[in-house]
């Protein structure tokens, strides 16, 4: 499958989960801290799962807005997506992720909201990247 790339960005990390990460353009610059649950000290930094959750949640709303622009229902301004990313050891070895997306779409009836969310899940690049690779549960709340 080919992608007609319209935007690229790059980030550099040093020090792993207890290090530092920044985009090369300087727009994002974060201290990283390994969570206690993964053997780290916690700390004031963020971790890759938090960054992934934030990105997926924002991108999913963007996908909903794209669906709306193609004739779907209007996405209310106070729409919210909560992305929960879990990490842990896999039974096959190594580590894996699981994701839950809770989508709040005020002002739309449940059937209309569920149809919008289902279409967004088909076009969202994060959803496409994780499909058949990571368990992603999507629900309208």
């Amino acid at each position: 499958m080919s992608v007609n790339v319209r935007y690229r960005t790059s980030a550099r990390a040093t020090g792993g989960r207890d290090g530092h990460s920044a985009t090369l353009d300087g727009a994002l610059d974060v201290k990283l801290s390994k969570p206690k649950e993964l053997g780290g000290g916690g700390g004031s930094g963020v971790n890759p799962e938090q960054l992934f959750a934030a990105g997926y949640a924002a991108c999913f709303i963007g996908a909903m807005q794209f669906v709306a622009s193609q004739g779907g229902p209007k996405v209310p301004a106070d729409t919210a997506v909560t992305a929960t990313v879990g990490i842990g050891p896999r039974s096959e070895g190594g580590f894996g992720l699981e994701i839950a997306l809770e989508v709040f779409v005020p002002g739309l009836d449940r059937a209309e909201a569920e149809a919008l969310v289902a279409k967004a899940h088909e076009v969202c690049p994060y959803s496409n990247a994780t499909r058949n690779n990571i368990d992603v549960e999507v629900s309208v709340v």
Side-chain angles (χ1 to χ4, degrees):
M1 172 188 310
S2 66
V3 176
N4 181 9
V5 175
R6 295 186 181 180
Y7 172 75
R8 290 184 199 280
T9 188
S10 298
R12 178 174 290 127
T14 57
R17 287 182 168 270
D18 284 312
H20 175 263
S21 188
T23 56
L24 298 185
D25 65 5
L28 176 72
D29 192 322
V30 294
K31 176 184 176 200
L32 302 172
S33 296
K34 184 190 288 186
K36 289 180 181 180
E37 297 85 350
L38 296 178
S44 61
V46 298
N47 62 62
E49 291 71 36
Q50 290 170 315
L51 295 168
F52 187 57
Y56 201 160
C59 189
F60 200 84
I61 292 174
M64 292 170 66
Q65 292 166 336
F66 174 80
V67 169
S69 76
Q70 304 297 301
K74 185 175 180 348
V75 177
D78 51 351
T79 294
V81 174
T82 301
T84 302
V85 175
I87 183 173
R90 297 176 346 129
S91 58
E92 301 85 357
F95 291 86
L97 299 173
E98 67 174 27
I99 301 164
L101 299 177
E102 293 181 342
V103 185
F104 174 66
V105 191
L108 293 184
D109 68 45
R110 185 161 196 86
E112 196 173 35
E114 287 176 346
L116 172 64
V117 166
K119 288 177 184 172
H121 191 45
E122 291 301 314
V123 300
C124 176
Y126 278 63
S127 294
N128 286 329
T130 58
R131 189 169 283 109
N132 299 319
N133 185 34
I134 298 173
D135 288 334
V136 178
E137 181 184 321
V138 181
S139 60
V140 173
V141 294

